Amino acid sequence: MNDRAPGAPIMIPLADVRGRMKARNQPKGRQIDPQARADVAALLNGREIRRDLLIEDLHLIQDKFNGISSEHIGALAEKLKLAQTEVYEVATFYHHFDVLREGDAAPPALTVRVCDTLSCAMAGADELLKKLPAILGKDVRVIAAPCIGRCSDAPAVCVGQNAFGHATVESVNLEAKAQHTQASSGNYASFAAYRAAFGYQTYLSVVNGEREIEATIKEMEDSGLRGLGGAGFPAGRKWRIVRAESAPRLMAINIDEGEPGTFKDRYYLERDPHRFIEGMLIAAHVVGIDAIYIYLRDEYHHCRAILETELAALKANPPGGHALPRIECRRGAGAYICGEESAMIESIEGKRGMPRLRPPYVAQVGLFGRPTLEHNFETLFWVRDILEKGAAWFAGYGRNGRTGLRSFSVSGRVKKPGVHLAPAGITANELISEFCDGMLDGHTFYAYLPGGASGGILPASMGDIPLDFDTLQPYGCFIGSAAMVVISQHDKARDAALNLMNFFEHESCGQCTPCRVGTEKAVRLLEETKWKTGLLEELSQAMEDASICGLGQAAPNPIRCVIKYFAHEIS
């Protein structure tokens, strides 16, 4: 019988309370594995512990253990004072991190990545992907990969960290057996050789005041040099805009170069790294930069070795003894989206590479919330020559009413693919005949991509359009990073569009629905024998209008071009 009065509190004897309570012998949540804690501590020993170095720290774990376990994620999160979910979401965003679930075994010690993007697909990448697993065996992982920046030497592969072109089953097998997981840095102009050839004299003339700041900016403006990563914003004007912002100012340099068909930055970096570094230091001094962050794609391991070696030599003996801004190299982790400037900045800050909404623009609010001068590698590569030879020298080149020079990355069905320095405004027909020694034997010029994967596709009958900024937009195309892929009568434009859309679907960051869902839907539609052109145009317009960044906005270009110029292939 219950004798408690209505509304009276329930009284529980203290002994019963104590009996029900059990002492918690560990904190709530996932516990940190002692061995993983020791592993992470050893890897980070002597290194700065900073939130923005998260991706660099993840690379250390990936390289050491051939994968990133949940235990290591927890230990790294503890070390950086982050939630484990923050570390997990960053690790799973990037293609080159193998995040292991509990109980998963690490992948094989050696991974072979076979590029299957357009130029390599045309050169037989599919056959490599079919044959290599059986030849290499179960101890080697063979996977398809997006463009690795060796389109002129298609088909291209990465065996471990060693990327090379003209790959065959035999050459890949030999490389895999040799276990050359780190590529050679090759031959290039070292710091000593560059200085001996009067390198850094232009930089010293700026730093020592022989060239005034205003005159230097004016020279850059008069040259007409525009951003050579694809956007084409005038370089001199960008210097003036960022210089007008309040200090401290930062610089971010984009060497992600993930646009299929593009490899010019790698080409120049492999040969003359200090011409770029000198241009970088000139820009930094003129704009008043406190720190420089160089973002290099992970597929360029040998280029990273070059940069680290040569920057160390520079820092040990700075020209004229002048203090240098802080310079940090950051390693990408396999994400095409990080070629977009704000996504690259997010990645440098140790986050997922997701584009920011604008405004504000990075010139006002960029890296770590500070005004940021963002440049492509090649833009800075030309600074020294322009200042030494004068704006008129650079502007004096050009054809068909255009001015300046362009480094064209040419791949596909030509006899001489590669990087060709040509006058701005040259046409596709002129470029093929004068610089590429014509088409391959047995191949006839059928179509071309003037600006890489997102620059559209044009028929050979439109091969006399000047190739430059602003000349291709009336035809639904753009020059972008000047990556020209040449297609012959043995290829189909519709197949090229499908290959490119597969790439965009794989590389969409997933932040916005029009791009995430639109690219996936487009792939399914392009796989159909007869294209639903009305539905494809509806989808293309939605992607163009509502996507946050250029990936989703430009992804429909190949589709629209095929519908407009190659209707006979899709009906």
Side-chain angles (χ1 to χ4, degrees), residues 3-4 25 67 104 151 233 255 287 293 335-336 345-346 402 410 523 538 557:
D3 296 326
R4 181 172 61 89
N25 56 16
D104 284 352
C151 319
F233 193 87
I255 323 181
V287 177
Y293 297 82
Y336 165 72
I345 283 173
E346 289 287 300
R402 312 303 297 179
V410 185
V523 168
E538 247 185 90
N557 286 344

Side-chain angles (χ1 to χ4, degrees), residues 259-478:
E259 181 74 17
T262 311
F263 46 91
K264 61 184 177 60
D265 293 349
R266 174 186 60 79
Y267 176 87
Y268 288 127
L269 181 52
E270 288 174 337
R271 290 158 175 78
D272 199 357
H274 285 280
R275 193 173 299 268
F276 148 70
I277 295 172
E278 181 169 7
M280 173 187 82
L281 292 179
I282 291 169
H285 179 78
V286 169
V287 177
I289 298 296
D290 288 70
I292 300 170
Y293 297 82
I294 302 173
Y295 191 87
L296 181 68
R297 68 180 308 195
D298 195 31
E299 292 84 350
Y300 288 177
H301 289 275
H302 63 296
C303 289
R304 188 170 71 252
I306 291 171
L307 272 177
E308 290 173 349
T309 299
E310 297 310 308
L311 286 173
L314 173 75
K315 292 173 183 177
N317 186 22
H322 292 285
L324 301 173
R326 188 173 81 252
I327 304 171
E328 295 189 19
C329 287
R330 293 301 177 85
R331 178 180 171 186
Y336 165 72
I337 192 64
C338 291
E340 196 276 339
E341 62 176 5
S342 65
M344 177 187 67
I345 283 173
E346 289 287 300
S347 191
I348 291 172
E349 292 180 355
K351 305 170 186 174
R352 293 175 295 170
M354 289 189 165
R356 298 176 178 177
L357 290 170
R358 283 167 286 206
Y361 297 95
V362 298
Q364 287 94 32
V365 182
L367 265 172
F368 310 113
R370 300 307 310 162
T372 301
L373 178 66
E374 190 275 341
H375 268 314
N376 166 258
F377 170 93
E378 196 202 351
T379 310
L380 295 169
F381 185 84
W382 290 113
V383 168
R384 171 191 155 177
D385 283 355
I386 288 171
L387 294 181
E388 281 186 358
K389 299 174 183 179
W393 165 79
F394 188 80
Y397 287 92
R399 291 187 188 179
N400 300 308
R402 312 303 297 179
T403 61
L405 289 165
R406 296 288 176 269
S407 299
F408 290 91
S409 304
V410 185
S411 61
R413 310 298 193 182
V414 294
K415 288 182 178 177
K416 188 181 176 184
V419 174
H420 299 295
L421 185 62
I426 194 171
T427 68
N429 281 323
E430 292 168 340
L431 193 58
I432 292 169
S433 62
E434 295 178 32
F435 290 84
C436 302
D437 294 346
M439 299 291 292
L440 287 170
D441 293 339
H443 291 263
T444 302
F445 184 27
Y446 175 64
Y448 66 107
L449 283 69
S454 53
I457 307 173
L458 292 172
S461 60
M462 299 175 70
D464 290 323
I465 300 170
L467 299 175
D468 197 14
F469 298 112
D470 312 320
T471 61
L472 293 157
Q473 280 85 337
Y475 309 99
C477 298
F478 58 81

Side-chain angles (χ1 to χ4, degrees), residues 216-236:
T216 302
I217 295 176
K218 184 69 164 53
E219 195 81 42
M220 292 297 298
E221 290 174 330
D222 291 346
S223 73
L225 179 67
R226 296 172 67 169
L228 297 173
F233 193 87

Side-chain angles (χ1 to χ4, degrees), residues 137-167:
K138 63 181 181 180
D139 293 331
V140 178
R141 178 175 60 165
V142 179
I143 59 176
C147 183
I148 60 176
R150 293 186 175 272
C151 319
S152 60
D153 302 328
V157 302
C158 272
V159 178
Q161 295 184 351
N162 188 19
F164 59 93
H166 300 304

